[in-house]
Amino acid sequence: MTAPVLRRLAPAALAVTVALLAGCAPEPAPAPTARTPSVTPTGPGSPAPIETRSPQAGGPPPAASGAVMTTTVLPRDCAGILGPTARSALADVPLNDPAFGETGVLDGGSLRCVWADPGADTAKIETTIAHVAENPVIDFLNELAAIGFTCYEPDAGVRCEKTWQNERYPVTDGRTLYFRDGVLIDTQFSHLAPAGFTSGVIASLWPAGTPAAP
């Protein structure tokens, strides 16, 4: 199937349009708790851990920007962004262990949340929520579509997602991104993907009945 092309907008535009695929890609299936090899744990005073990124995941998203036209306030509490299903599934998983570097509210107001045990082999889910300008995001999502991400338009936003086989362990890795009203939710996971995770984060930022940006 040919990858959809996301239309780049003029800087003043607020709406995002996308060529829809025939159907929606599902949330990744839940996975049992295990351990992640991609992070080297660090002790107090040690440098931030170095993480490896699979080429399947694509590159880093555009840098967070304060000059974004938006009506959406970024959350400040990692636990508060979860829906009930994901909250229950992650109840026993450590949140924002220091081994994973700087987490919580970052400079500029972005929120980085990491659920993982630093002593694990492969089980991790990480989400960053940031204000980002539209045109760089559209260009970035087009790059992801070109390497096999499925993109569609749910809940007044644009969502792109992909799963793949972990290069070292017999587990599934993946990445899901959602963009709406100048806010990018970027979630990457390895063998830890609670059902409805991204949908719960979306609902926490834009509760039912919240109108889309004009």
Side-chain angles (χ1 to χ4, degrees), residues 2 7-8 37-38 51 84 99 104 108 120 136-137 175-176 180 211:
T2 302
R7 190 172 68 193
R8 197 174 192 275
S38 61
E51 298 191 36
V137 171
R175 185 177 189 181
T176 300
R180 173 177 170 180

Side-chain angles (χ1 to χ4, degrees), residues 40-159:
T40 301
T42 59
S46 300
I50 297 174
E51 298 191 36
T52 58
R53 182 190 296 270
S54 168
Q56 294 271 16
S65 170
V68 174
M69 300 179 67
T70 179
T71 60
T72 303
V73 177
L74 296 180
R76 304 183 65 82
D77 173 27
C78 288
I81 67 174
L82 298 179
T85 301
R87 186 178 300 113
S88 176
L90 296 172
D92 297 326
V93 180
L95 171 61
N96 294 344
D97 190 281
F100 299 109
E102 189 176 5
T103 54
V105 179
L106 309 180
D107 290 344
S110 300
L111 182 70
R112 178 175 182 251
C113 309
V114 180
W115 287 267
D117 182 339
D121 289 334
T122 176
K124 178 183 181 184
I125 185 164
E126 173 179 343
T127 291
T128 300
I129 304 173
H131 282 141
V132 184
E134 285 184 347
N135 281 345
V137 171
I138 295 302
D139 290 342
F140 177 61
L141 296 182
N142 276 321
E143 293 173 5
L144 295 183
I147 62 169
F149 278 72
T150 296
C151 296
Y152 56 104
E153 189 178 16
D155 306 314
V158 178
R159 178 166 172 160

Side-chain angles (χ1 to χ4, degrees), residues 16 18 20 24-25 27 72 152-159 161 176-181 183 185 196-213:
V16 175
V18 59
L20 300 181
C24 298
E27 247 335 301
T72 303
Y152 56 104
E153 189 178 16
D155 306 314
V158 178
R159 178 166 172 160
E161 55 195 14
T176 300
L177 304 98
Y178 179 81
F179 181 72
R180 173 177 170 180
D181 190 31
V183 176
I185 303 168
F197 180 92
T198 298
S199 297
V201 176
I202 293 170
S204 74
L205 268 71
W206 298 283
T210 301

Side-chain angles (χ1 to χ4, degrees), residues 186-200:
D186 183 4
T187 299
Q188 298 190 57
F189 63 89
S190 178
H191 199 49
L192 185 60
F197 180 92
T198 298
S199 297

